[in-house]
């Protein structure tokens, strides 16, 4: 770490730099520092023409962190060989299963959390007061992955390794096939596709260094957790069947599909019977009981431990008793509402049942003095007003899981459009934070009944993939309007790794590899209007009513 005030993307942006090596199909490029990106004012929600009535009053500064996908890179039930189908449209809902940089992700997360401890909001000058995570912190719904995530965030010993004393995964030079980057191997011109076609580097001994146990300082601010599809399902897609649970802690790791596999229904088989992918050729690996699968209750229960800040990281004893993963967390200015949008019947897309929707409506009712009833009439409550920030793993456009049709109560599920309609009835909702797509996107959600009002849906990119960033979100009261200022943050590590002996070097290499993967990473960063922004919205009530005003 630099030891100075961490640079924000308003000061500098990282991008593709000079060519380091040439592959047959593409060049491998360094990361270079470019000019910063100013905040772009967006007044899509009826604030155009308003003058700033007075200097802004800081209400809140937080950071949004999502899609770490910390993976046990030697797990028997990660089917990395499916990457061979990258050009086959039947695999589009599954790939990528494996990334060249994934063994280094724990170090990238550690560098990210240490960076955030020194960040101040550029609009408010406030140190960050809270971190909000929106799911897919882990990759394969495994106990050892969950322990690594909590050790990184709460502080402690992080062990990215599993199984036996030696690496037993697809990046080993002896593993069948050539579709994985092998940093080790027979010299710098090794036979794998990534080095040959895309100029990936030769780093002998890298995997051993990457998987060593290390001590993490933890995130130095309170943080809230969220349940995503990679916490709920095998590789974020497959139902946790008894057969899969047995395979997880066992000693067989598949290397390909069985000969008679029905590839026309690959996604449906992955979602409903993932153990079918275990029936082909395999290699023997070291069994590990700590790879056991986790349930939603396990995920919640692991957060409810002494020393967590706040206790449970948002989850409550009620969640543990009910087996749920949605909750509220209150600050003086804002009520945070976490949703569980996962479909346990399989498939990566999300869903929301009516029981949770009724719970959400009650929690919104509690922080509104008035709102619009289902019939369109105003309902007055006598409650005090508070701003609302919603957060969940899936967003409006990904609440479309077709494998789930009804909730536990037998009622039809809500679509993303129906949830948006519900939220528009409650004007104190100003922001919805989510992830899942690994892509930066900022979209206004206008209220059809009153187009001058609405809320902003803010989707943040993944730490696992380029641009490997998090997002600072600040709320500023300007009297006539409320500003929601968003700023992208890089982890404060060298743009190029030096010795590969430090966590910072490993984090820097993680980012460099992520920038060079052979699929379109430029789209994941979004456009300028999706990154550093000032999102304006008309105040849903006089903001001087808020506590501390």
């Amino acid at each position: 770490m630099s030891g100075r005030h961490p640079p924000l993307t308003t000061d500098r942006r990282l991008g593709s730099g000079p060519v380091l090596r040439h592959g047959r199909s593409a060049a491998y490029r360094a990361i270079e520092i470019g000019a910063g990106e100013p905040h772009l004012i967006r007044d899509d929600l009826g604030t155009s023409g308003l003058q700033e009535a007075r200097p802004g009053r800081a209400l809140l500064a937080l950071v949004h962190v999502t899609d770490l996908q910390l993976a046990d890179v030697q797990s028997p039930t990660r089917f990395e060989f499916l990457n061979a189908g990258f050009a086959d449209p039947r695999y589009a809902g599954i790939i990528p299963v494996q990334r060249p940089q994934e063994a280094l992700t724990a170090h990238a997360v550690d560098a990210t959390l240490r960076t955030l401890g020194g960040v101040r909001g550029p609009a408010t000058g406030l140190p960050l007061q809270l971190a909000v995570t929106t799911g897919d912190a882990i990759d394969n719904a495994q106990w050892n992955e969950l322990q690594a995530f909590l050790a990184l965030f709460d502080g402690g010993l992080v062990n990215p390794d599993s199984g036996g004393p030696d690496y037993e995964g697809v990046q080993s030079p002896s593993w069948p096939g050539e579709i994985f980057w092998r940093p080790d191997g027979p010299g710098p011109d090794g036979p794998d596709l990534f080095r040959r076609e895309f100029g990936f580097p030769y780093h002998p001994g890298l995997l051993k260094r990457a998987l060593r146990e290390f001590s993490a300082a933890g995130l130095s601010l309170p943080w809230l957790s969220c349940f995503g599809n990679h916490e709920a399902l095998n590789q974020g897609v497959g139902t946790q069947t008894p057969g899969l649970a047995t395979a997880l802690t066992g000693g067989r790791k598949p290397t390909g599909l069985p000969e008679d596999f029905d590839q026309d229904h690959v996604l449906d088989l992955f979602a409903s019977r993932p153990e079918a992918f275990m029936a082909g050729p395999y290699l023997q690996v070291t069994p590990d009981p700590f790879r056991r699968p986790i349930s939603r209750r396990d995920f919640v229960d692991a957060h409810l431990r002494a020393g967590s800040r706040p206790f449970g990281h948002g989850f409550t004893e009620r969640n543990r008793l009910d087996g749920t993963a949605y909750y509220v967390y209150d600050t003086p200015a804002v009520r945070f509402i976490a949703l569980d949008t996962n479909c346990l019947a399989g498939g990566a897309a999300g869903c929301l049942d009516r029981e949770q929707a009724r719970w959400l409506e009650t929690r919104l009712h509690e922080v509104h003095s008035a709102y619009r009833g289902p019939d369109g009439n105003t309902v007055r409550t006598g409650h005090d007003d508070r701003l609302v920030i919603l957060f969940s793993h899936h967003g409006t456009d990904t609440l479309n899981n077709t494998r789930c049709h009804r909730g536990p109560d037998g009622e039809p599920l809500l679509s993303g459009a129906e949830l948006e309609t519900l939220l528009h009835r409650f004007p104190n909702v100003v922001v919805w934070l989510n992830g899942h797509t690994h892509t930066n996107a900022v979209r206004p959600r206008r209220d059809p009944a009153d187009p001058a009002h609405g809320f902003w849906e803010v989707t943040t990119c993944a730490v696992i993939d380029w641009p490997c960033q998090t997002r600072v979100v600040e709320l500023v009261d300007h009297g006539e309007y409320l500003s929601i200022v968003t700023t992208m943050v890089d982890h404060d590590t060298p743009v190029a790794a030096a010795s590969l002996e430090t966590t910072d070097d490993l984090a820097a290499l993680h980012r460099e590899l992520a920038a060079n993967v052979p699929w379109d990473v430029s789209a994941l960063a979004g456009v300028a209007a999706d990154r550093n922004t000032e999102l304006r919205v008309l105040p849903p009530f006089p903001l001087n009513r808020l506590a501390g005003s």
Side-chain angles (χ1 to χ4, degrees):
M1 306 292 283
S2 67
R4 51 182 163 71
H5 185 71
L8 302 177
T9 56
T10 48
D11 305 319
R12 69 172 204 187
R13 285 193 70 219
L14 302 181
S16 183
V19 174
L20 296 177
R21 283 170 300 280
H22 289 280
R24 294 180 187 176
S25 300
Y28 183 94
R29 295 180 176 273
I31 302 294
E32 69 177 5
I33 298 174
E37 187 170 65
H39 291 105
L40 179 68
I41 294 175
R42 295 192 58 178
D43 53 11
D44 311 49
L45 294 177
T47 61
S48 179
L50 288 180
Q51 298 297 312
E52 186 171 321
R54 56 176 168 78
R57 179 174 62 96
L59 298 177
L60 184 68
L62 63 90
V63 64
H64 180 204
V65 183
T66 193
D67 293 270
L68 319 175
Q69 286 192 221
L70 290 157
D72 174 359
V73 297
Q74 301 167 88
S75 171
T77 69
R78 293 184 78 231
F79 310 132
E80 299 99 333
F81 56 83
L82 295 177
N83 274 11
F86 68 93
D88 188 331
R90 294 174 296 183
Y91 289 82
I94 299 173
I95 291 172
V97 180
Q98 194 271 347
R99 296 162 169 82
Q101 71 272 18
E102 63 184 22
L104 305 170
T105 303
H107 299 277
V109 172
D110 181 55
T112 295
L113 301 183
R114 287 183 286 118
T115 296
L116 294 176
V119 167
R120 287 181 173 268
T124 62
L126 293 174
L128 301 179
Q129 298 156 292
L130 184 70
V132 172
T133 72
T134 52
D136 283 9
I138 61 178
D139 185 70
N140 201 40
Q142 294 180 203
W143 179 254
N144 59 333
E145 293 176 340
L146 176 57
Q147 295 310 300
F149 161 54
L150 293 173
L152 281 162
F153 271 68
D154 282 341
L157 289 177
V158 180
N159 184 10
D161 202 1
S162 67
D166 298 319
Y167 172 74
E168 300 173 314
V170 299
Q171 290 183 275
S172 167
S174 62
W175 203 264
E178 60 167 23
I179 62 170
F180 310 110
W181 174 53
R182 275 73 183 264
D184 294 293
D189 298 318
D192 69 82
L193 176 109
F194 279 83
R195 280 201 270 169
R196 183 183 69 241
E197 298 295 328
F198 307 110
F200 269 57
Y202 174 54
H203 286 309
L206 175 66
L207 292 170
K208 184 176 181 179
R209 290 194 289 275
L211 298 179
R212 283 190 302 219
E213 185 176 72
F214 67 95
S215 181
L219 185 59
S220 59
L221 57 143
W223 60 275
L224 303 178
S225 197
C226 190
F227 193 58
N229 58 293
H230 278 265
E231 280 87 22
L233 302 165
N234 175 253
Q235 294 165 92
V237 177
T239 307
Q240 293 196 42
T241 63
L244 192 75
T246 299
L248 251 180
T249 57
R252 291 186 175 189
K253 184 168 177 60
T255 60
L257 291 171
E259 290 185 4
D260 59 349
F261 194 86
D262 182 2
Q263 297 193 54
D264 289 332
H265 298 93
V266 61
L267 184 56
D268 185 61
L269 281 167
F270 200 166
S272 61
R273 291 195 296 112
E275 65 270 25
F277 292 78
M278 303 287 299
Y282 66 89
L283 289 181
Q284 202 72 36
V285 297
T286 305
D288 190 336
F290 291 101
R291 288 174 173 147
R292 67 175 178 84
I294 60 168
S295 66
R296 179 162 48 199
R297 184 175 270 108
D298 291 331
F299 184 76
V300 169
D301 189 62
H303 288 73
L304 294 167
R305 59 184 186 177
S308 56
R309 190 164 64 105
F311 179 70
H313 298 298
F315 296 123
T316 66
E317 291 290 347
R318 175 52 58 187
N319 291 130
R320 177 166 25 204
L321 291 171
D322 294 346
T324 58
Y326 46 87
Y327 61 86
V328 299
Y329 178 80
D330 287 321
T331 69
V334 175
R335 165 162 284 191
F336 290 86
I337 303 181
L339 297 181
D340 174 5
T341 55
N342 298 287
C343 175
L344 300 187
C351 63
L352 195 79
D353 61 67
R354 302 278 165 174
E355 180 180 349
Q356 188 175 171
R358 285 190 289 270
W359 172 91
L360 170 62
E361 189 166 358
T362 300
R363 302 291 81 80
L364 291 169
H365 170 96
E366 293 167 349
V367 289
H368 281 76
S369 62
Y371 63 92
R372 193 166 67 236
D375 59 2
N377 293 323
T378 299
V379 177
R380 303 201 178 277
T381 69
H383 296 307
D384 293 332
D385 283 301
R386 188 176 297 182
L387 297 173
V388 176
I389 294 178
L390 192 74
F391 65 105
S392 61
H393 184 62
H394 301 87
T396 304
D397 297 333
T398 53
L399 285 173
N400 55 3
N401 194 309
T402 57
R403 297 189 60 79
C404 296
H405 301 288
R406 296 184 180 275
D409 50 12
E411 295 181 274
L413 301 172
L414 264 74
S415 65
E418 288 175 297
L419 177 56
E420 184 180 340
T421 297
L422 169 62
L423 296 176
H424 282 314
R425 291 174 40 217
F426 293 89
N428 296 357
V429 177
V430 292
V431 186
W432 181 1
L433 301 175
N434 52 59
H436 185 63
T437 63
H438 294 212
T439 304
N440 285 322
V442 174
R443 291 155 294 187
R445 299 301 186 188
R446 297 180 183 86
D447 181 357
D450 185 1
H453 291 83
F455 61 89
W456 290 93
E457 185 171 353
V458 177
T459 304
T460 298
C461 63
V463 174
I464 177 68
D465 286 323
W466 176 262
C468 310
Q469 294 173 328
T470 54
R471 188 193 299 265
V472 170
V473 179
E474 301 169 271
L475 269 57
V476 186
D477 171 19
H478 286 285
E480 289 192 39
Y481 61 87
L482 173 70
S483 286
I484 303 151
V485 181
T486 77
T487 311
M488 304 311 301
V489 183
D490 297 303
H491 52 73
D492 185 18
T493 57
V495 292
S499 67
L500 298 181
E501 289 296 331
T502 70
T503 287
D504 280 0
D505 283 334
L506 295 173
L509 179 59
H510 174 277
R511 182 168 54 201
E512 180 183 286
L513 295 168
N516 281 280
V517 293
W519 47 83
D520 184 12
V521 298
S522 61
L524 301 178
V527 299
D530 299 314
R531 295 189 293 256
N532 296 345
T533 64
E534 182 188 346
L535 312 173
R536 295 181 174 181
V537 63
L538 295 172
F541 57 88
L543 298 179
N544 57 12
R545 294 181 191 167
L546 291 171
S549 299

